[in-house]
Amino acid sequence: MESAKRWFGKFRPKEKHKTSSKKTEPTPYGKECSKTPLNDETPSNATQQKVAAAKQYIEKHYKEQMKSLEERRERRNVLERKLADAEVTEEEQNNLLKHLEKKETEYMHLQRHKMGADDFEPLTMIGKGAFGEVRLCREKSTGHVYAMKKLKKSEMLRRGQVEHVKAERNLLAEVDSNCIVKLYCSFQDEEYLYLIMEYLPGGDMMTLLMRKDILTEDEARFYVGETILAIESIHKHNYVHRDIKPDNLLLDRHGHMKLSDFGLCKPLDCSNIQEKDFTVGNNYSGSLQSDGRPAAPKRTQQEQLQHWQRNRRMLM
């Protein structure tokens, strides 16, 4: 018996000598630990932005997962109701339900597939910019044609355009409108950032103006109306384009216009906008206010323009 106790005693942890002079306090588990000072420093703005982005990504991911699960259940319930009304045999019902499950599985596999540059066949170049190019490409699996915007990361960093590119990608992902170019997917490698967008074969508004010289009144009204709808669609999401010109108004195969090239767009905090900073004063020199005091002298047209331009620059 004594030999067994000695044998088990070999496996007992030996008590460590307390050589540290730091104060210790008991933990909820009955053990002692050294009391370390807490770090009271607030996280930096970059860290806070990363935390907010991670939170938004996780919330969006799980919301989409739950939405996808509900949609799959609803599709199965609809099929089961249709099969019950059709009075088909039980064997046929099982076969159709198995076919639906197979299609759902294939669809989920496609959703998990990560796109890359190797999934597209590059075709003709249709545009070239300061730090990127736009090329016509064909998806190898489906044969669909897209416009691939290829941006060089080193040039974006050198020119300080990272925030503009992020704003462009976020706008295209957030805004779902028939008046702007659609973004289908985005991915990157070590050297480039890729944006796979809708291809519009009708050219741009500048080419149309050069070809027709003068638009008819109906044509002008039509394209001005679609331009206003496109600008309104991004203003509703608190973005400003800042590069509206005929070259960035593209036409699809049916002649409808869509806004493109959001490389200079910027998110806008509308809570800080005050109407008084953008209105023109109407008080004339020598006039009186409602309380009888003399009104402020009216600014000249040049002073009003400078005041308006200065506020716009501060806002942007």
Side-chain angles (χ1 to χ4, degrees), residues 119-123 136-146:
D119 295 321
F120 298 89
E121 177 187 357
L123 302 175
L136 201 64
C137 66
R138 181 185 291 111
E139 189 177 6
K140 295 179 180 179
S141 60
T142 61
H144 296 163
V145 177
Y146 300 99

Side-chain angles (χ1 to χ4, degrees), residues 117 131-133 149-154 156 187-194:
F131 49 89
E133 64 182 24
K149 192 169 185 178
K150 184 178 177 181
L151 305 174
K152 193 172 181 64
K153 292 183 179 179
S154 59
M156 286 191 293
F187 49 86
Q188 59 181 323
D189 55 24
E190 295 182 357
E191 192 173 359
Y192 293 99
L193 172 67
Y194 302 88

Side-chain angles (χ1 to χ4, degrees), residues 124-280:
T124 309
M125 184 182 296
I126 56 179
K128 193 172 181 66
F131 49 89
E133 64 182 24
V134 180
R135 186 180 292 272
L136 201 64
C137 66
R138 181 185 291 111
E139 189 177 6
K140 295 179 180 179
S141 60
T142 61
H144 296 163
V145 177
Y146 300 99
M148 175 189 285
K149 192 169 185 178
K150 184 178 177 181
L151 305 174
K152 193 172 181 64
K153 292 183 179 179
S154 59
E155 284 296 314
M156 286 191 293
L157 292 172
R158 189 176 68 84
R159 295 172 180 264
Q161 299 293 319
V162 176
E163 294 301 324
H164 289 162
V165 175
K166 286 183 179 179
E168 177 180 11
R169 190 265 173 196
N170 293 338
L171 185 149
L172 292 172
E174 291 178 19
V175 182
D176 184 14
S177 172
N178 293 326
C179 300
I180 69 171
V181 177
K182 292 187 181 299
L183 173 70
Y184 290 101
C185 64
S186 61
F187 49 86
Q188 59 181 323
D189 55 24
E190 295 182 357
E191 192 173 359
Y192 293 99
L193 172 67
Y194 302 88
L195 301 177
I196 305 299
M197 299 183 294
E198 177 184 12
Y199 171 59
L200 301 176
D204 55 32
M205 186 59 63
M206 178 60 75
T207 305
L208 179 66
L209 291 172
M210 292 173 63
R211 185 170 65 246
K212 300 199 69 171
D213 192 20
I214 298 177
L215 299 178
T216 64
E217 185 176 348
D218 290 337
E219 291 172 341
R221 186 184 296 112
F222 174 76
Y223 286 119
V224 168
E226 291 202 329
T227 304
I228 292 172
L229 290 175
I231 297 174
E232 182 192 24
S233 66
I234 63 175
H235 284 185
K236 285 181 177 178
H237 290 76
N238 297 332
Y239 283 93
V240 285
H241 191 280
R242 305 201 302 173
D243 195 19
I244 301 294
K245 57 184 179 181
D247 307 71
N248 294 334
L249 303 176
L250 305 182
L251 304 175
D252 64 9
R253 65 182 64 191
H254 302 294
H256 289 281
M257 192 215 69
K258 295 191 178 186
L259 184 60
S260 69
D261 197 354
F262 299 91
L264 293 179
C265 74
K266 186 174 182 179
L268 181 64
D269 185 6
C270 297
S271 61
N272 297 328
I273 299 178
Q274 297 181 2
E275 186 177 356
K276 64 181 182 180
D277 295 333
F278 297 92
T279 56
V280 179

Side-chain angles (χ1 to χ4, degrees), residues 66-79:
M66 294 302 298
K67 182 181 177 181
S68 178
L69 179 60
E70 292 295 331
E71 289 176 351
R72 290 200 300 271
R73 289 175 178 173
E74 182 62 25
R75 285 193 290 267
R76 184 180 179 89
N77 292 335
V78 170
L79 180 59

